[in-house]
Amino acid sequence: MSRTDRSNAASMPRRLVLARLPLLGLMSLLATGAMPALAQTQTLTVAAFPALDEIVKAAIPVWKQKHPNVEIKVVSRQFSDHHTAMTTALSTSSNLPDVMALEFGFVGRFAEGGGLEDLSRAPYNIGASKGRFVSYAYQQATADNGAVVAAPADLGPGTLLYRSDLLQKAGLTEADLTRSWDSYIASGVKLKAATGAYLLAHARDIKDIAIRANVKAGEGLYFDDKGNILVESPRFVRAFELAKSVRDQKLDGKIGAWSNEWSEGFKRGTIGTQMMGAWLAGHLSNWLAPNTKGQWRAAQLPEGAWASYGGSFYALPKGASAANKALAWEFVQMMTLNPAIQQAAFKSQDAFPALVETHKDAFFDQPIEFLGGQKARVIWREATTRINALDVNKFDPIAEEIVNTEMDKVLDQGKDIKAALADARKLLERRARR
């Protein structure tokens, strides 16, 4: 064979290579076991949601450097569809991916279901890397029985984003917004009078942050570590009172998050502030309201509150292919423990890294043009050191639904707050006993 012939043969299917070989040469190769080596391809399936799917795709070239014959198949669905599909897959043990992305709100439900690998056990031993993760993120993936069901990928430190141009028109300062919750609401009155802008898109937003703020160690949002329901605690009473005060003073636009009205409110300057995870600044810049560049600023939450708002994780379903388990775990480690990949995700998708060692990167000190040159990442980094871990519970999504329903009854129908929270507890007790 010429060099060209050998090159062409190497790229052909196996049966064609055999057909081109002289008979005697073929018999010799068979006898010696020196047949041409053909790469065996393997495929890992990763199920994810936006923008985690883009982060995974961007990391594939790094993976291929070490595993050129292992393909990564990304199955992407919208946020709700993804978690519904994963719930079905785990309950039926069918169509399971090798790696499953999860948002924090679903970790508890999936953890208690027993369908995820315990990463604290051999051969995974994630505990050896515990100190490399932001502490509260690691704890969020830890079930009541001590099992670690997922590896943290990114965080959502709570922040207050506000329109500095609107504050200036109203004669307000950042300190007016952050001094206390009462001062924040009082600023909303002045803001609306001077500019016509609402303080908040929806009164429920202040409740969402307030119930997450300064949660005691060993507690979750809705349950303590013994499973006791917390929705009648002072934390919830105060959160409901704040939301009602916002609504009573007509300081919210009654606009739901992620709606067209929501994005239009940001674009037109009719919403003055928004409390959410720090990742929202990236969404505002990239697609929600890019025309407002330079007009937003970030601050810590009012009244010295420290709150976690979401976060993403990678988990390994127990029922997935055993042949792929080792590679799947290696892939999860690459996505969560590789500083370069964590930093790339932060820079491209504003996915605040859960890997502590990345927090020393100079990128944190760079000004954010969309936020008027503010070094906001330093603010968010501080928040990650002050947030207490939230314990997860499998009934958290149900509790959220019930509490939001009762919140709406208070806001829209004038229901008494204590009666609403008492009804929420009763309904949650019934649902939890099913």
Side-chain angles (χ1 to χ4, degrees):
M1 269 189 179
S2 69
R3 179 177 299 176
T4 302
D5 289 336
R6 288 195 297 271
S7 176
N8 290 339
S11 64
M12 294 179 181
R14 186 182 183 95
R15 65 177 181 274
L16 295 183
V17 175
L18 297 180
R20 293 283 297 270
L21 290 172
L23 180 59
L24 290 177
L26 173 59
M27 294 177 65
S28 174
L29 287 172
L30 287 171
T32 61
M35 286 295 297
L38 295 177
Q40 297 297 314
T41 59
Q42 198 169 347
T43 300
L44 283 183
T45 301
V46 181
F49 50 87
L52 224 60
D53 53 355
E54 295 300 324
I55 293 172
V56 170
K57 291 174 184 176
I60 290 176
V62 178
W63 173 262
K64 296 290 280 185
Q65 288 177 7
K66 187 173 182 181
H67 297 288
N69 299 324
V70 180
E71 301 295 327
I72 302 296
K73 178 184 177 183
V74 182
V75 179
S76 179
R77 301 179 180 88
Q78 290 303 311
F79 181 85
S80 297
D81 294 339
H82 166 80
H83 288 94
T84 298
M86 295 304 97
T87 300
T88 301
L90 287 171
S91 63
T92 62
S93 296
S94 61
N95 298 316
L96 285 167
D98 297 299
V99 178
M100 176 186 295
L102 295 175
E103 200 273 335
F104 164 68
F106 292 84
V107 171
R109 175 194 292 182
F110 289 6
E112 299 297 336
L116 302 177
E117 295 282 358
D118 180 359
L119 303 182
S120 70
R121 297 179 177 273
Y124 311 110
N125 301 316
I126 194 175
S129 302
K130 179 179 179 179
R132 298 180 64 188
F133 294 109
V134 170
S135 60
Y136 81 79
Y138 186 91
Q139 182 61 34
Q140 285 177 336
T142 304
D144 291 341
N145 61 2
V148 180
V149 299
D154 58 67
L155 315 171
T159 191
L160 170 66
L161 297 172
Y162 65 89
R163 284 286 296 264
S164 61
D165 56 330
L166 297 181
L167 254 66
Q168 187 175 5
K169 289 180 181 178
L172 296 166
T173 66
E174 180 180 296
D176 293 324
L177 292 178
T178 60
R179 187 177 303 112
S180 68
W181 288 116
D182 291 336
S183 177
Y184 173 70
I185 294 173
S187 297
V189 175
K190 295 179 181 178
L191 179 70
K192 189 177 182 185
T195 69
Y198 293 111
L199 176 66
L200 286 166
H202 200 289
R204 192 189 300 127
D205 294 345
I206 197 170
K207 179 271 295 180
D208 288 341
I209 287 291
I211 65 171
R212 287 169 168 80
N214 305 326
V215 175
K216 297 177 182 177
E219 287 187 353
L221 279 182
Y222 306 101
F223 304 88
D224 65 16
D225 56 357
K226 296 180 176 59
N228 297 314
I229 298 171
L230 302 173
V231 300
E232 290 181 286
S233 67
R235 175 161 53 93
F236 279 83
V237 173
R238 177 65 168 151
F240 270 51
E241 288 174 344
L242 291 170
K244 187 175 187 300
S245 178
V246 167
R247 176 59 57 83
D248 287 348
Q249 298 181 74
K250 298 180 173 57
L251 301 180
D252 74 312
K254 302 180 183 179
I255 300 168
W258 310 112
S259 65
N260 290 333
E261 285 182 287
W262 196 59
S263 59
E264 282 301 311
F266 294 140
K267 291 174 183 176
R268 298 175 184 274
T270 56
I271 298 173
T273 76
Q274 182 69 51
M275 292 179 290
M276 202 169 269
W279 38 262
L280 181 63
H283 291 330
L284 287 168
S285 173
N286 295 332
W287 62 278
L288 279 174
N291 63 306
T292 60
K293 175 182 174 182
Q295 296 172 337
W296 291 90
R297 299 292 185 274
Q300 302 292 15
L301 296 170
E303 208 170 87
W306 306 101
S308 168
Y309 205 99
S312 304
F313 299 78
Y314 293 103
L316 303 180
K318 284 182 179 179
S321 170
N324 287 352
K325 276 292 196 310
L327 283 170
W329 173 231
E330 187 176 343
F331 182 81
V332 169
Q333 289 178 296
M334 182 188 77
M335 297 303 299
T336 60
L337 293 171
N338 184 312
I341 287 178
Q342 285 266 298
Q343 289 165 350
F346 191 22
K347 293 174 182 179
S348 66
Q349 301 292 338
D350 295 286
F352 198 98
L355 190 62
V356 174
E357 60 207 70
T358 65
H359 293 189
K360 298 177 182 179
D361 190 85
F363 182 64
F364 278 84
D365 296 315
Q366 292 181 8
I368 300 176
E369 193 174 359
F370 182 78
L371 297 179
Q374 184 184 16
K375 297 181 179 180
R377 299 183 188 100
V378 177
I379 295 173
W380 303 330
R381 180 174 60 190
E382 180 191 4
T384 67
T385 68
R386 307 286 291 272
I387 296 170
N388 285 331
L390 288 174
D391 283 0
V392 295
N393 188 287
K394 66 180 179 181
F395 294 114
D396 281 347
I398 296 172
E400 180 179 23
E401 179 183 337
I402 290 172
V403 167
N404 281 340
T405 298
E406 291 300 324
M407 178 83 269
D408 289 342
K409 290 179 181 178
V410 170
L411 296 176
D412 300 330
Q413 302 172 20
K415 186 172 182 177
D416 178 74
I417 290 175
K418 290 188 176 180
L421 292 174
D423 287 346
R425 175 186 54 79
K426 293 173 186 175
L427 183 55
L428 188 50
E429 284 176 342
R430 290 200 295 270
R431 295 286 293 274
R433 284 197 297 264
R434 289 182 181 178

